[in-house]
Amino acid sequence: MSDKPIPVTSPLLPPLEEFIPYLEEIWKSRILTNCGTMHQALEQALCEYLGVQHVALFANGTLALVAALQALRITGEVITTPYSFVATSHSLLWSGLEPVFVDIDSHTLNLDPAKVEAAITPRTTAIMPVHCYGNPCAVDAIQRIADTYGLRVIYDAAHAFGVKDEGGSILRHGDLSILSFHATKVFNTFEGGAVICPDEMTLQRINHLKNFGFADEVTVVMPGINGKMNEVSAAFGLLQLKHIDRALEQRRSIDRHYRELLAGVSGVCCLECGYQAFANHAYFPILVGEAFPLSRDELHHYLRDNGILVRRYFYPLISDFPMYHGRPSAKPANLPVARAVTEQVLCLPIYPGLGRQDVERIAGLISAASLMNTRTHREW
Ligand SMILES: *Cc1c(COP(=O)(O)O)cnc(C)c1O
C-alpha cells in the first residue's frame, strides 16, 4: 500500500506568492466582477494564446454551453454523443431541446460522422459533438453534413484547451466552441468557461446573454442569465497562462512514459492521439480488453485498493441516466460502440507534478495485474 493516494487529476496551482500582486490590484480597484480589467485582459490573452477571433468568458462551462445554444437560437432536436460528461446533454435539456444520441467511432471515441445522417429528422437544427479527452472530432465530415442539411455545429471543447490540428486551433471549427476552466481541467480559473466565437455579431449576443440581456444601463434586449466570470477567477487565469506551456510539456512527458511502460502489457490498449499537430494530454484513458485477466471493474478496484484513484470516465453513458434512457436514440442497440467502450475504459492519473516514479508504480501495478491468471481472481 502507498502512503498517500494518487488522484486522477490535480489542479494547476502556481505558487501562492505569484497570485498576491493580482489580488492587490483587484483590492485597489474595488472592482470584483462585472467584466472588469482582469476579465477583459484574460479574454484578450486567451485570444492570443489560443489563436482564435473572440473569447467570451463565463462563470463555468455549462453556462457557456447553454448560452451558445441560445445565441444561435437552436430549436427542436440536437444530435450529440452519449460518451461525455453529463453537462453536454444537460445543456440541451436546460434549453428545452431534445438530445438525439448517435454512436461514437471506435478509434477517436468521438461522434461517428457515418452515423449522423440517419439520425437527422425535419426537427434537427444542430449537432453538438465533443472533442473527447481533447482528441479532435472528424471536423470536416461533420461540417459537410451540417452544410448539406443546414445544421449548426456547437463543439463541446471542454477537454480541448490548446489543442491544434494542421490548420491551427481546433476551436476554429463549427459555429461555436465552448471551453471549461473547472479546477479539474488542463487550464483552470477555479470555476470558469468560455464561448469561442468567430464573428462579432454573435459575440455581442453572447455578451448580452451572459449579463441578464443588458445592452446598456437601461436597455434589456433579451432574457439573459448571470454567466459572468468574476475578477479573481480571471486574474487566476492570467497567472495560469504563464505556467500553461510548462504544464502541457509535463503532461506530454507523462503520456509518453505511460505508453512506453504499457506497450508490452497485453490486454490493455492506450488510445491513439499521435495524429494531431498538438495534443494537450488532458486525460490518459486505457481500454481493458477481453485478453486482460481482470475485468475493467476489477482492475479499477485493484488500483483503488493500492491508492491509485483511477476513474471510469465515461461510465455510465449519458444515455443511461434516468432523464435520458427512455428516448429511442438512447437504446443500447443504437449505441453498440459507446456501450462496449464504457465497459472497458479507465482513466489513469495525469497532471503536472505527477512523478515519474508514480507513473512507474501505476504501470507496474497494471503490468502485475496482467499476469494474474483469471478474470474472477480476487485475492488482493
Ligand atoms: C467539464 C465538462 C463540462 C462542464 O464544464 P463546467 O465548467 O464544469 O461547467 C462540459 N462538458 C464536458 C465534456 C466536460 O468535461
Side-chain angles (χ1 to χ4, degrees):
M1 285 296 284
S2 79
D3 3 299
K4 205 163 152 233
I6 298 175
V8 77
T9 186
S10 179
L12 178 53
L13 213 44
L16 183 56
E17 59 272 20
E18 289 185 27
F19 195 38
I20 305 296
Y22 292 86
L23 293 176
E24 285 171 347
E25 207 175 315
I26 292 170
W27 258 243
K28 211 158 58 192
S29 75
R30 305 190 67 80
I31 292 171
L32 307 185
T33 186
N34 285 1
C35 310
T37 52
M38 295 295 177
H39 187 284
Q40 290 163 33
L42 183 59
E43 285 187 341
Q44 183 59 36
L46 284 172
C47 283
E48 283 161 26
Y49 181 81
L50 297 169
V52 296
Q53 284 296 312
H54 302 287
V55 172
L57 292 175
F58 275 80
N60 60 62
T62 305
L63 280 168
L65 278 170
V66 171
L69 289 162
Q70 298 214 0
L72 299 181
R73 300 180 175 89
I74 303 300
T75 59
E77 295 174 5
V78 178
I79 289 171
T80 190
T81 170
Y83 192 75
S84 179
F85 181 60
V86 72
T88 308
S89 296
H90 278 2
S91 74
L92 299 173
L93 293 193
W94 272 83
S95 307
L97 301 168
E98 179 61 26
V100 174
F101 298 106
V102 164
D103 207 5
I104 55 172
D105 175 276
S106 62
H107 296 287
T108 63
L109 310 191
N110 291 325
L111 203 58
D112 184 348
K115 294 180 182 157
V116 168
E117 272 186 278
I120 296 174
T121 77
R123 299 191 64 228
T124 311
T125 62
I127 309 174
M128 183 180 274
V130 178
H131 301 298
C132 192
Y133 307 130
N135 291 326
C137 291
V139 289
D140 294 335
I142 289 170
Q143 195 58 53
R144 230 174 291 126
I145 296 165
D147 290 343
T148 306
Y149 292 88
L151 308 178
R152 300 289 210 151
V153 182
I154 297 171
Y155 281 102
D156 180 342
H159 300 173
F161 185 91
V163 174
K164 297 182 187 118
D165 61 18
E166 302 71 29
S169 172
I170 197 73
L171 305 170
R172 75 189 188 284
H173 297 290
D175 293 281
L176 296 172
S177 291
I178 77 95
L179 289 170
S180 165
F181 306 147
H182 185 259
T184 55
K185 303 300 206 283
V186 164
F187 171 91
N188 88 82
T189 57
F190 302 162
E191 293 264 7
V195 179
I196 310 302
C197 173
D199 67 290
E200 212 133 349
M201 281 267 285
T202 312
L203 176 72
Q204 194 180 55
R205 253 185 88 69
I206 292 165
N207 282 335
H208 292 160
L209 274 166
K210 80 176 189 190
N211 190 29
F212 310 98
F214 277 111
D216 62 45
E217 251 175 70
V218 292
T219 317
V220 173
V221 292
M222 59 183 79
I225 191 95
N226 180 3
K228 307 180 302 291
M229 179 182 284
N230 71 69
E231 289 290 280
V232 175
S233 285
F236 191 68
L238 284 168
L239 170 58
Q240 191 135 173
L241 269 185
K242 296 185 175 166
H243 294 266
I244 190 71
D245 284 335
R246 173 100 185 86
L248 290 171
E249 253 168 57
Q250 286 175 298
R251 285 179 175 277
R252 176 177 300 264
S253 106
I254 292 165
D255 181 288
R256 199 179 304 129
H257 200 189
Y258 269 133
R259 283 174 200 277
E260 283 164 17
L261 295 168
L262 294 173
V265 180
S266 73
V268 303
C269 156
C270 304
L271 206 62
E272 273 315 312
C273 74
Y275 57 87
Q276 57 197 91
F278 194 87
N280 68 0
H281 311 287
Y283 298 84
F284 196 87
I286 60 169
L287 298 181
V288 182
E290 286 297 320
F292 201 79
L294 305 189
S295 71
R296 186 277 310 274
D297 286 346
E298 286 169 337
L299 182 59
H300 176 245
H301 192 124
Y302 171 70
L303 290 171
R304 289 203 149 229
D305 276 359
N306 280 279
I308 315 299
L309 305 182
V310 289
R311 295 292 300 268
R312 290 170 291 184
Y313 294 143
F314 289 98
Y315 170 86
L317 294 178
I318 297 176
S319 47
D320 284 341
F321 290 120
M323 63 297 297
Y324 299 105
H325 86 274
R327 292 172 162 74
S329 69
K331 291 213 164 67
N334 186 47
L335 308 166
V337 179
R339 202 135 283 287
V341 172
T342 194
E343 296 295 338
Q344 294 190 352
V345 73
L346 206 53
C347 282
L348 305 185
I350 187 166
Y351 50 88
L354 180 67
R356 280 185 76 79
Q357 280 167 356
D358 291 327
V359 174
E360 276 156 21
R361 195 163 77 81
I362 295 162
L365 284 165
I366 296 169
S367 178
S370 79
L371 302 174
M372 293 176 179
N373 51 25
T374 136
R375 274 209 157 218
T376 50
H377 202 78
R378 281 187 168 278
E379 272 175 33
W380 61 82

